[in-house]
Amino acid sequence: TGFSQGFDAQAVELPGWRHAYSGKVRDLYEPADAAPGETETLLVVASDRISAYDFVLETEIPDKGAVLTQLSLWWFEQLQVPHHVVSLDVPEAVAGRAMVCQRLDMYEVECIARGYLTGSGLAEYRESGSVTGIELPAGLVDGSKLDPAIFTPSAKAKVGEHDENITFGQMAGLIGREPAERLRELTLDVYTRAEAIARERGIILADTKVEFGQDATGRIVLGDEVLTPDSSRFWDAAQYEPGRAQPSFDKQFVRDWLTGPDSGWDRHSGEAPPALPADVVAKTRARYIEAYETLTGRTFTP
Ligand code: ATP
Ligand code: MG
């Protein structure tokens, strides 16, 4: 699979690896000794970049990349789904935040499972009474539980553009009906299992996004990151109250500060947000670590 464009990130030099692509948060490298675009493995490095309101902020959150990678690895172990991680034999400079992965031919679809209604799902429901073509009962509010959880795919947007919710039929048109059915089944399975694990730890997994690809043999494999605060909405079960926006576990301080009076920033101006103050950075870092520690029961060591 070729990576045509990407976020203009300052990727580090890593011995034995050649930078291939940068997304908003992750930097991908190929083995330097193989032909570009044809390698079997990729080094997936999670940076400390953070995005909010569709902007990659200029301020980084120290250790965020390591927290996300460690959390993903923990989930990959819990879920009994074929995944892309090959080894943790990575350059010293990115130890803890990187993993060697099977290179996959990614499906150009984001697989989203929702067990609670909020965000873009809620917006669509308010317009049409349905989410990605799935009819929902009347009277639902922000945070309402959806039982059973629903699968609401979206089409991957180019850098800087919004992902767009699509119906299951549209997804089948993009990637084929059989793979679409398989991805739906796998996604709901991942969500259901993870939701139960999180619930035992006092965390509501409201929704999550996973990405799948095919390996060289055509097998469907779970890729990217899984069940991190960046790909999922985690809510504190003790504070859960449908009918209002739930405080988000991790980015709430960032969002509150950016949209509050102190930032001087207008979300709808189209301008990039300002740098984050040190206390917002520190509190956000602490929240990411808390999410990791609460879910895994482990202590985070930078
Ligand atoms: P985009 O790539 O659209 O910028 P993003 O900002 O979410 O999305 P990141 O998460 O920062 O991107 O970067 C990860 C990129 O690597 C994604 O495009 C993802 O699809 C891709 N990816 C993840 N795992 C694999 C894999 N095993 N093989 C190939 N590509 C992968
Ligand atoms: Mg991503």
Side-chain angles (χ1 to χ4, degrees):
T1 154
F3 304 106
S4 46
Q5 57 168 321
F7 178 74
D8 184 20
Q10 203 58 52
V12 290
E13 288 282 331
L14 297 174
W17 297 92
R18 171 179 59 232
H19 178 247
Y21 178 82
S22 289
K24 288 189 283 294
V25 169
R26 258 153 278 276
D27 302 313
L28 307 188
Y29 296 78
E30 302 172 316
D33 58 5
E38 290 171 22
T39 64
E40 272 174 36
T41 58
L42 287 173
L43 183 69
V44 177
V45 182
S47 74
D48 290 338
R49 298 191 288 274
I50 185 169
S51 66
Y53 301 112
D54 278 330
F55 286 97
V56 177
L57 305 183
E58 61 178 86
T59 314
E60 298 194 333
I61 306 297
D63 294 321
K64 173 175 174 281
V67 172
L68 294 193
T69 297
Q70 295 308 311
L71 186 56
S72 280
L73 288 168
W74 184 81
W75 280 115
F76 278 129
E77 267 172 41
Q78 312 298 308
L79 306 165
Q80 277 132 42
V81 176
H83 62 74
H84 67 157
V85 182
V86 173
S87 90
L88 299 178
D89 182 12
V90 304
E92 185 61 38
V94 291
R97 66 170 70 242
M99 45 201 197
V100 179
C101 297
Q102 243 183 325
R103 182 192 202 103
L104 301 174
D105 189 3
M106 301 301 287
Y107 290 105
E108 293 298 304
V109 177
E110 314 234 293
C111 296
I112 299 165
R114 300 174 193 268
Y116 292 79
L117 187 65
T118 191
S120 71
L122 177 67
E124 216 184 305
Y125 170 78
R126 284 179 173 158
E127 293 255 303
S128 66
S130 62
V131 184
T132 68
I134 301 168
E135 295 277 342
L136 296 176
L140 299 182
V141 295
D142 194 350
S144 285
K145 185 168 168 57
L146 303 173
D147 201 8
I150 56 174
F151 176 69
T152 63
S154 73
K156 281 189 86 167
K158 300 212 174 69
V159 171
E161 287 172 30
H162 254 305
D163 291 346
E164 196 189 333
N165 287 355
I166 54 174
T167 64
F168 182 76
Q170 287 172 309
M171 174 180 175
L174 285 173
I175 69 165
R177 179 152 299 268
E178 219 181 291
E181 280 171 359
R182 186 73 188 124
L183 297 196
R184 174 169 64 186
E185 184 184 8
L186 285 167
T187 302
L188 288 171
D189 191 50
V190 164
Y191 174 80
T192 306
R193 233 125 29 94
E195 191 272 338
I197 291 173
R199 176 167 296 276
E200 283 171 15
R201 290 146 170 86
I203 293 180
I204 293 175
L205 173 63
D207 54 32
T208 195
K209 186 250 337 176
V210 284
E211 294 183 29
F212 295 90
Q214 281 179 288
D215 70 9
T217 69
R219 190 173 69 131
I220 293 178
V221 178
L222 181 56
D224 208 50
E225 63 177 338
V226 278
L227 296 153
T228 70
D230 279 10
S231 65
S232 319
R233 285 191 174 89
F234 292 114
W235 295 338
D236 181 354
Q239 292 184 62
Y240 171 63
E241 200 183 293
R244 59 154 167 84
Q246 314 302 312
S248 102
F249 216 91
D250 45 294
K251 285 187 189 171
Q252 200 61 44
F253 295 116
V254 173
R255 294 199 179 124
D256 288 351
W257 184 79
L258 283 177
T259 54
D262 296 338
S263 73
W265 181 64
D266 173 10
R267 197 184 148 181
H268 304 289
S269 66
E271 274 165 44
L276 301 175
D279 69 307
V280 174
V281 172
K283 283 190 204 156
T284 302
R285 178 179 178 277
R287 288 296 260 185
Y288 272 87
I289 292 172
E290 189 188 347
Y292 169 82
E293 294 190 336
T294 306
L295 285 164
T296 66
R298 295 178 180 169
T299 303
F300 177 73
T301 40

